[in-house]
Amino acid sequence: YFDGIPKSSFAEYMREWWLLVGLLCIPLLAVYLHIPPPQLSPALLTWRSAGAFFTFRSNNIFYRETYGAVGSSDVVILLHGFPTSSLDWYKIWEPLNRRFNRVIALDFLGFGFSDKPRPHRYSIFEQASVVEALVSHLGLTEQRVNLLSHDYGDTVALELLYRSDHNRTGHLTINSLCLSNGGIFPETHHPRFLQKLLKDSSFLSPVLTRLTNYMVFSKGLGDVFGPYTQPTDAEFLDMWTGVRFNDGNLVMDSILQFINQRDQHRDRWVGALTSTFIPASIPFVPPNPMLSFSFRKLVQRSTVSVLDEHISHYPQLEDPTGFLNAYFSFINAF
């Protein structure tokens, strides 16, 4: 007996109660999982209207290009990180435009305003081919270009470097390489718990991608910013809107395979970095001394710039002035 009720009757009562709760939750969950994406903010609308699209293997790829410094032929290509987009560069766009003749950024396949096909086997190799196709589309195949990358974009840059140094068909002619916070040495990179679940759990990942919402996203992303350099609510929402655009949240598990690809192809990508004679730099955040040590020791023409300790994973957003000073000091040294 439980409070005067026979155990068998109580168990039956609890089964019926949970069945009723389940029946009530099903329509609520169905509505939740089909919440439409947020509307594009004025900032996102402006960013998209300033860009254009080109076609890569039947997919539309968003890019933005501006002409800047007169009398210079220098070109810089900006490669963004996971899970955000080319908008990551908006705070440093104009200063770059005053230094370079052409400033170019794109949204990788599966990111931002670009198409997000599913099912699809996303890979660093394919993203490098997207960049090469964009360079060809813009008529820059013979032009020396400077690569400025962040996070996921760092690994794409290393694949581009490998192809360039091995004279692969369609390769870029790279003038310089600046990598920021991209786990370029896999042994120094530690994925977050949710990233591990998404990339390694074939059963859970489709559920998790649908259950991830703005609150979960902003909390996770906020954790990789410094305590005093957090994005504004509007910036968080723009980042989340970029993910949700074209149902991008549903391909995050596929894109996250890049972490496994880094391990699988370490020799190829770290080898490209350690054997190249192209000038390479990292803006270095003090809490990561192992990365700085490895970079100085292994990369031949390396430059390491120390940034303020109050910033974290997104230096171009958290301290755009310090980040630019470090980059310009590197780029103007040769």
Side-chain angles (χ1 to χ4, degrees):
Y1 287 83
F2 181 84
D3 199 21
I5 303 174
K7 286 186 177 180
S8 59
S9 298
F10 179 77
E12 182 66 25
Y13 169 79
M14 290 303 299
R15 279 195 296 270
E16 292 178 356
W17 187 86
W18 280 112
L19 178 61
L20 179 61
V21 169
L23 291 173
L24 289 172
C25 286
I26 287 173
L28 293 175
L29 184 61
V31 171
Y32 170 72
L33 293 179
H34 290 88
I35 291 176
Q39 295 294 310
L40 299 184
S41 69
L44 285 174
L45 287 170
T46 299
W47 189 262
R48 186 174 67 169
S49 65
F53 291 85
F54 80 102
T55 302
F56 174 82
R57 298 175 185 170
S58 301
N59 292 297
N60 292 317
I61 304 297
F62 174 82
Y63 70 94
R64 186 177 179 191
E65 176 193 25
T66 57
Y67 286 82
V70 177
S72 169
S73 61
D74 291 348
V75 176
V76 62
I77 299 176
L78 312 175
L79 307 176
H80 69 80
F82 175 90
T84 42
S85 70
S86 58
L87 189 66
D88 290 352
W89 307 106
Y90 86 96
K91 287 187 178 181
I92 65 172
W93 192 276
E94 287 306 319
L96 288 173
N97 213 40
R98 292 192 291 268
R99 168 61 179 79
F100 291 93
N101 177 251
R102 294 170 80 170
V103 180
I104 301 163
L106 76 157
D107 289 345
F108 290 122
L109 186 68
F111 294 80
F113 294 127
S114 292
D115 283 353
K116 299 168 180 177
R118 60 183 175 92
H120 187 80
R121 294 175 64 88
Y122 290 88
S123 77
I124 294 297
F125 299 101
E126 181 179 46
Q127 304 290 19
S129 295
V130 170
V131 178
E132 290 177 338
L134 174 60
V135 168
S136 176
H137 174 74
L138 296 176
L140 293 171
T141 305
E142 304 300 323
Q143 173 72 46
R144 298 179 69 84
V145 299
N146 301 281
L147 298 181
L148 174 54
S149 60
H150 174 246
D151 187 75
Y152 181 89
D154 283 6
T155 309
V156 178
L158 291 180
E159 172 58 20
L160 291 167
L161 178 65
Y162 177 90
R163 297 182 186 187
S164 177
D165 283 354
H166 288 77
N167 204 29
R168 295 293 178 89
T169 301
H171 71 82
L172 306 188
T173 303
I174 300 173
N175 187 56
S176 72
L177 184 65
C178 182
L179 310 163
S180 55
N181 290 347
I184 53 178
F185 301 106
E187 60 274 13
T188 69
H189 178 249
H190 306 288
R192 302 177 66 78
F193 177 69
L194 183 58
Q195 290 179 330
K196 291 179 180 179
L197 282 179
L198 286 172
K199 75 182 181 69
D200 293 331
S201 175
S202 58
F203 173 73
L204 284 177
S205 55
V207 178
L208 292 173
T209 56
R210 288 188 176 274
L211 290 177
T212 300
N213 58 21
Y214 172 71
M215 291 181 61
V216 173
F217 174 84
S218 57
K219 172 63 171 65
L221 197 63
D223 287 346
V224 302
F225 280 77
Y228 308 110
T229 54
Q230 290 285 301
T232 64
D233 290 342
E235 288 173 330
F236 269 133
L237 186 57
D238 280 346
M239 293 174 183
W240 174 239
T241 302
V243 170
R244 284 296 316 275
F245 192 83
N246 285 340
D247 291 329
N249 56 307
L250 302 183
V251 302
M252 291 177 72
D253 56 331
S254 300
I255 292 174
L256 273 166
Q257 294 306 309
F258 81 91
I259 297 175
N260 295 332
Q261 292 165 22
R262 280 177 178 166
D263 292 332
Q264 294 165 7
H265 304 287
R266 182 194 185 281
D267 291 347
R268 177 186 180 99
W269 292 330
V270 173
L273 185 61
T274 57
S275 64
T276 189
F277 289 97
I278 292 172
S281 172
I282 56 168
F284 164 55
V285 180
N288 195 354
M290 181 58 70
L291 174 61
S292 174
F293 174 78
S294 299
F295 196 81
R296 290 180 188 273
K297 179 181 179 182
L298 298 174
V299 182
Q300 299 183 56
R301 298 183 64 186
S302 62
T303 300
V304 175
S305 303
V306 179
L307 303 179
D308 288 343
E309 60 184 12
H310 70 276
I311 67 171
S312 189
H313 186 65
Y314 276 84
Q316 74 274 36
L317 291 174
E318 299 178 66
D319 184 12
T321 300
F323 183 79
L324 276 172
N325 287 341
Y327 182 60
F328 287 156
S329 177
F330 161 65
I331 206 76
N332 291 332
F334 57 90

